[in-house]
Amino acid sequence: MRSLRTQLLLSHLALALLMGIVMANAAGHFFSLSNSIEEVLESNFQTVLSAQKMSDALDRQETAIIFYFVGHPEEAQEQDQNSEPEFRQALDSAKTHVLGKDEKRLVDSISAEYDRYREAVGRLFGSPARNRTELFEMYYTDVRPHMSSLKKDTAQMLNLGQTHIVEANRRARQEAQRASWGTILVTLVALGLAVVLALRIVRIALHPLAVVARHAERIGQGHYEGRLPIDRDDEIGSLAQAFNLMTDRLTEARKTEERRLHRAERMSDAALESLYDPVVVTDAKGRLVHLNRAGEDLFGPIPAARASMKEHLADHRIVDAIEKAIHQVKVSAAEDEKSFVRVRRGDVERSYRLRVSPMIDEETVLGAVAVLEDVTYMRELDRLKNEFIGVASHELRTPVTSLMLGTDLLLEGTLGALNDAQRQVVDAQREDLGRLQRLMQDLLDLSRLESGSRAPHRELVSPEALLRETEQGVRLSAERKGVRLSVEVQPGLPRVSADHGQIVRALTNLCDNAVRHTPTGGSVTLKAVASNDAIAEGNDVTFAVVDTGEGIPAEYLARITERFVQVPGATRGGAGLGLAITKTIVEAHGSVLEVESELGQGSRFGFRLSAPLAPDSAEQGE
């Protein structure tokens, strides 16, 4: 059997041949029609044009005779001589393009008559002077008959030429109609043959390809059964064999993939069920989908398929975190106190760190998964650590105070005068005891703040009063170092709800830290402005401490507020607890300590405090 390529090539060659036949037939008719039109234009039209020119020349010659009668012989002869060659040229053109016997007879008659006419006109113009009556008589008897005969013949020639044009035009139209019908007939025959060839091409190639396409669509839908019923020796047969082989391999690959997926699914389910930590899985509408064994032990089995998590989970913070993860498509993995939840199981209360992540398939949110990490033991260790720090700091206060009193007595000379070397030693001891006392106080305050025993005592306070009090406490150290200290308060700020002492201490820690890390000649600015950004709520006020100091390296920005963390190479002066205490105070007020810094350009520490009063009823800053 011939290949598909050969079959298609032959079919297209047949179509090209039919197209050539149609075009050749149309071209033949067009050439024939062109010849007919050329006949009309070159022969008959020239005959009509020559007759018209001869008639016009005769009119001008007759006008010349009139000029002669009215007494202008020179003008008459000049016009007669000018028009006579025109008539001769038109007559010669008529002789050249004459077609029929009638036209030839007319041309010969006109030629002979015109010669007699010219002889009569010559006698008229060349006769001796006569009176007007004799001239008129000579014109009517000798010239006028020839002029009338010529006009009659030229008019007959003009009519005969027009008749021939009409007849030629009729023949051309008939020939054009025959050409049109012949072209239409040939085109219809060619079109019929082309349809037959096209159907043959469809039967040869397109129909089997349509079968292949339908089978491919079924494979795309996941139906691998069935084979292509095409048994041919050409390229389509080879395609069908390759397609059937591909189907067999896809079927085998699908079975292998299903076995692998089932195994992976069983392993995933087993791993999820074997997790020690409770796991909660919900759909995009917040309905419970799955609880592992630890989750069922903690919350109980799911009572019904896709039950509401609000009715089944013990803590509303878990529900809020899951809804936030679904709606905001955001991972909830905070490290602050808000991420810890407590769940009571019988008589035992356990602490868990909550982690919630949205489940996303491309751009579609499928639901959320929440993991509750059991941190009861770590929380207990943290509590014991804080208690130990608190007890140790409290117990060390008495001996440290006693040592401070002893050094003061020695320096005052109560126990006897000290020489210079002894005074230097006692001064160094007193400075070290002061640092130790401040460290113990910071540790004690930090443990109390983190344990919640020193909760904020909120009251309405003026933002400007907080900044002014902070400025007074830090101004002396700033002046000693040569650092400019300034306060900027936006007019019209409302009072904020805060613990006056704790906020002043937090601002003082930030200012002390800024002054310590700002070189001489630099500046530290305390600011209070209205929080007008999209995150702020109500009439919140933003407090900030901005310096032009050393700045903080980018790798330390996330850890700078942790305990005992200090930037290597930075100015020393503390134990690294000031920012930790400030962060704890700010978070206890429901805010977040924000840090912005660029190395060598300075730093900015800020936080927000809520202002429950409306702006129009708020008291202005002092």
Side-chain angles (χ1 to χ4, degrees):
M1 185 177 182
R2 288 175 297 182
S3 65
L4 179 62
R5 179 180 180 181
T6 303
Q7 298 178 61
L8 294 178
L9 181 60
L10 292 176
S11 299
H12 282 81
L13 288 176
L15 290 176
L17 180 60
L18 289 175
M19 184 181 298
I21 293 174
V22 172
M23 294 179 64
N25 179 72
H29 288 301
F30 286 145
F31 281 125
S32 176
L33 182 61
S34 175
N35 293 331
S36 298
I37 295 174
E38 184 178 0
E39 178 185 352
V40 173
L41 293 178
E42 290 186 359
S43 299
N44 296 321
F45 182 74
Q46 289 296 332
T47 301
V48 171
L49 185 61
S50 298
Q52 184 66 46
K53 288 181 177 180
M54 287 188 292
S55 178
D56 293 339
L58 289 175
D59 290 339
R60 285 193 292 274
Q61 291 176 16
E62 187 175 13
T63 303
I65 294 173
I66 295 174
F67 284 167
Y68 183 78
F69 284 155
V70 295
H72 300 283
E74 294 81 3
E75 294 181 5
Q77 291 181 1
E78 181 181 0
Q79 182 168 337
D80 183 73
Q81 292 175 358
N82 291 335
S83 59
E84 197 272 340
E86 294 179 2
F87 186 91
R88 295 290 183 182
Q89 291 177 359
L91 182 60
D92 293 340
S93 177
K95 292 178 179 179
T96 303
H97 295 92
V98 66
L99 294 178
K101 294 180 179 180
D102 295 337
E103 291 182 354
K104 188 175 185 304
R105 180 184 56 78
L106 281 175
V107 170
D108 294 340
S109 176
I110 291 173
S111 178
E113 189 67 26
Y114 187 71
D115 292 338
R116 291 190 290 271
Y117 167 74
R118 292 308 304 174
E119 292 176 358
V121 171
R123 290 193 297 271
L124 177 66
F125 287 164
S127 62
R130 299 177 181 178
N131 58 30
R132 190 176 299 274
T133 301
E134 293 177 350
L135 290 175
F136 275 119
E137 183 179 357
M138 185 177 180
Y139 168 74
Y140 279 107
T141 59
D142 195 10
V143 177
R144 180 70 178 178
H146 299 297
M147 173 66 72
S148 299
S149 179
L150 285 172
K151 286 188 174 182
K152 179 180 178 182
D153 290 342
T154 54
Q156 185 178 358
M157 184 176 179
L158 178 64
N159 293 333
L160 187 60
Q162 291 176 345
T163 303
H164 287 169
I165 288 177
V166 172
E167 182 64 23
N169 180 57
R170 183 184 61 78
R171 290 196 304 273
R173 290 179 60 185
Q174 291 178 350
E175 187 172 352
Q177 290 179 354
R178 287 195 301 272
S180 299
W181 285 110
T183 302
I184 292 174
L185 179 61
V186 173
T187 302
L188 290 177
V189 173
L191 181 62
L193 294 176
V195 170
V196 173
L197 289 174
L199 293 177
R200 183 174 182 276
I201 293 175
V202 170
R203 185 176 67 254
I204 292 175
L206 298 186
H207 178 70
L209 292 179
V211 175
V212 174
R214 287 195 298 269
H215 196 66
E217 184 178 358
R218 287 180 54 81
I219 291 177
Q221 295 173 354
H223 304 291
Y224 296 154
E225 68 280 357
R227 299 174 62 84
L228 283 174
I230 299 177
D231 186 13
R232 296 172 54 155
D233 297 332
D234 55 8
E235 290 85 352
I236 294 181
S238 301
L239 175 63
Q241 293 177 3
F243 212 92
N244 291 331
L245 180 60
M246 180 192 68
T247 303
D248 296 338
R249 292 181 177 178
L250 284 176
T251 302
E252 183 62 28
R254 180 179 184 178
K255 292 179 180 178
T256 303
E257 184 66 16
E258 287 178 351
R259 289 193 296 268
R260 188 187 68 80
L261 290 177
H262 290 161
R263 183 169 60 254
E265 185 177 357
R266 289 194 301 270
M267 292 179 64
S268 177
D269 292 340
L272 185 63
E273 293 297 326
S274 301
L275 282 177
Y276 173 77
D277 296 323
V279 178
V280 180
V281 182
T282 68
D283 60 11
K285 295 183 179 180
R287 296 174 298 188
L288 287 176
V289 175
H290 182 73
L291 290 174
N292 65 348
R293 281 196 294 266
E296 290 183 349
D297 292 341
L298 184 63
F299 301 113
I302 301 177
R306 300 185 183 274
S308 173
M309 62 178 177
K310 294 182 180 180
E311 301 174 358
H312 194 67
L313 301 182
D315 197 301
H316 70 88
R317 287 177 293 180
I318 303 176
V319 176
D320 294 341
I322 292 175
E323 291 179 345
K324 181 179 179 181
I326 293 174
H327 296 151
Q328 298 183 4
V329 194
K330 185 178 180 182
V331 176
S332 176
E335 296 292 340
D336 54 12
E337 192 68 24
K338 297 179 181 179
S339 66
F340 294 99
V341 296
R342 295 178 177 84
V343 180
R344 180 173 294 278
R345 297 174 59 185
D347 296 334
V348 180
E349 184 180 71
R350 305 193 66 83
S351 297
Y352 296 90
R353 178 184 282 113
L354 180 62
R355 299 282 189 272
V356 184
S357 299
M359 295 186 297
I360 304 174
D361 181 15
E362 293 181 353
E363 296 182 357
T364 303
V365 179
L366 304 179
V369 56
V371 179
L372 287 84
E373 180 185 0
D374 193 341
V375 293
T376 304
Y377 179 70
M378 297 176 60
R379 297 283 287 179
E380 184 64 20
L381 288 179
D382 192 59
R383 185 186 65 81
L384 294 175
K385 177 201 66 176
N386 291 335
E387 289 182 359
F388 171 76
I389 293 175
V391 172
S393 300
H394 186 271
E395 293 299 326
L396 286 175
R397 291 177 64 182
T398 300
V400 170
T401 302
S402 177
L403 291 173
M404 287 286 291
L405 180 59
T407 55
D408 289 339
L409 292 176
L410 290 174
L411 290 174
E412 291 172 359
T414 305
L415 302 179
L418 301 176
N419 56 34
D420 292 340
Q422 291 172 338
R423 181 172 293 276
Q424 290 178 0
V425 173
V426 174
D427 283 338
Q429 289 178 345
R430 191 177 190 284
E431 184 177 350
D432 291 340
L433 287 172
R435 252 194 325 268
L436 180 60
Q437 189 177 37
R438 289 192 298 272
L439 175 61
M440 288 188 303
Q441 186 62 45
D442 287 343
L443 287 172
L444 184 60
D445 292 343
L446 184 60
S447 63
R448 288 175 178 174
L449 288 170
E450 290 182 344
S451 64
S453 61
R454 185 175 290 183
H457 178 67
R458 294 178 179 269
E459 58 181 338
L460 295 178
V461 294
S462 168
E464 184 173 1
L466 294 173
L467 295 186
R468 294 297 180 188
E469 185 174 343
T470 302
E471 178 194 19
Q472 293 299 323
V474 186
R475 179 164 296 281
L476 182 59
S477 61
E479 291 177 351
R480 287 177 180 174
K481 194 172 182 182
V483 175
R484 296 188 303 276
L485 187 64
S486 60
V487 176
E488 296 180 4
V489 182
Q490 180 179 335
L493 291 179
R495 292 178 179 270
V496 295
S497 174
D499 186 311
H500 183 279
Q502 290 187 7
I503 294 301
V504 169
R505 181 172 184 183
L507 291 171
T508 301
N509 287 343
L510 295 177
C511 285
D512 281 335
N513 193 61
V515 170
R516 188 165 57 251
H517 295 282
T518 299
T520 301
S523 63
V524 176
T525 305
L526 288 82
K527 295 183 178 182
V529 296
S531 303
N532 296 324
D533 60 319
I535 303 176
E537 298 178 359
N539 302 312
D540 290 359
V541 176
T542 297
F543 293 83
V545 176
V546 183
D547 64 66
T548 60
E550 304 168 351
I552 305 170
E555 61 269 22
Y556 283 91
L557 284 177
R559 301 178 52 242
I560 195 66
T561 57
E562 297 179 5
R563 304 176 190 176
F564 308 111
V565 173
Q566 293 184 344
V567 178
T571 304
R572 299 288 180 176
L577 293 176
L579 291 180
I581 293 174
T582 300
K583 177 184 177 183
T584 305
I585 292 174
V586 170
E587 290 178 350
H589 282 74
S591 184
V592 177
L593 182 61
E594 300 173 349
V595 184
E596 299 175 5
S597 182
E598 185 176 351
L599 196 62
Q601 301 296 323
S603 304
R604 178 188 181 279
F605 290 81
F607 58 88
R608 294 186 179 93
L609 293 179
S610 60
L613 294 180
D616 55 354
S617 61
E619 184 175 342
Q620 304 296 322
E622 298 179 6

